[in-house]
Amino acid sequence: MFALSKKMASQRWVFPAEALFPLALVGMMGFAMRWGVKEYQKFENYGKPKRWNIDRWDRRMMERDSRLTGNVNIQAANSIAPKSFSSNSAWELEKPY
């Protein structure tokens, strides 16, 4: 039923080299996209790598940095807090009844 002719049975398998260029092109596009996303995230974070595995302490420090400097990605090491820091509390006020 599926008998191969002698001519077809004696032919060697030829490597499909025409598929290498599109495959390499797709691979390079993938690497370029990953590099672009990584650089964009670094740009958004002022040159620092993206944060990961953030716990409660990190979130509170980010909130503190946001209140001190106006941005969660910039830290301040001043020994005396600015005057505006005393009025913008992290504690939410109770709603009046």
Side-chain angles (χ1 to χ4, degrees), residues 10-76:
S10 66
Q11 287 181 347
R12 275 186 69 206
W13 181 74
V14 180
F15 184 74
E18 65 271 1
L20 288 180
F21 180 71
L23 183 63
L25 188 64
V26 168
M28 286 189 296
M29 293 287 285
F31 283 119
M33 289 298 294
R34 176 63 186 123
W35 177 79
V37 167
K38 185 177 177 183
E39 288 299 313
Y40 179 71
Q41 288 172 346
K42 210 159 85 171
F43 170 74
E44 278 188 329
N45 206 14
Y46 295 98
K48 299 175 190 172
K50 183 182 173 191
R51 292 181 176 163
W52 56 278
N53 199 14
I54 300 173
D55 59 357
R56 189 180 345 166
W57 175 263
D58 292 328
R59 290 187 197 283
R60 291 210 177 143
M61 290 298 105
M62 288 167 62
E63 182 181 343
R64 172 192 165 270
D65 294 337
S66 174
R67 290 188 296 128
L68 277 173
T69 64
N71 191 331
V72 296
N73 296 320
I74 299 174
Q75 289 82 27

Side-chain angles (χ1 to χ4, degrees), residues 93-97:
L93 298 175
E94 293 180 356
K95 294 183 180 179
Y97 293 108

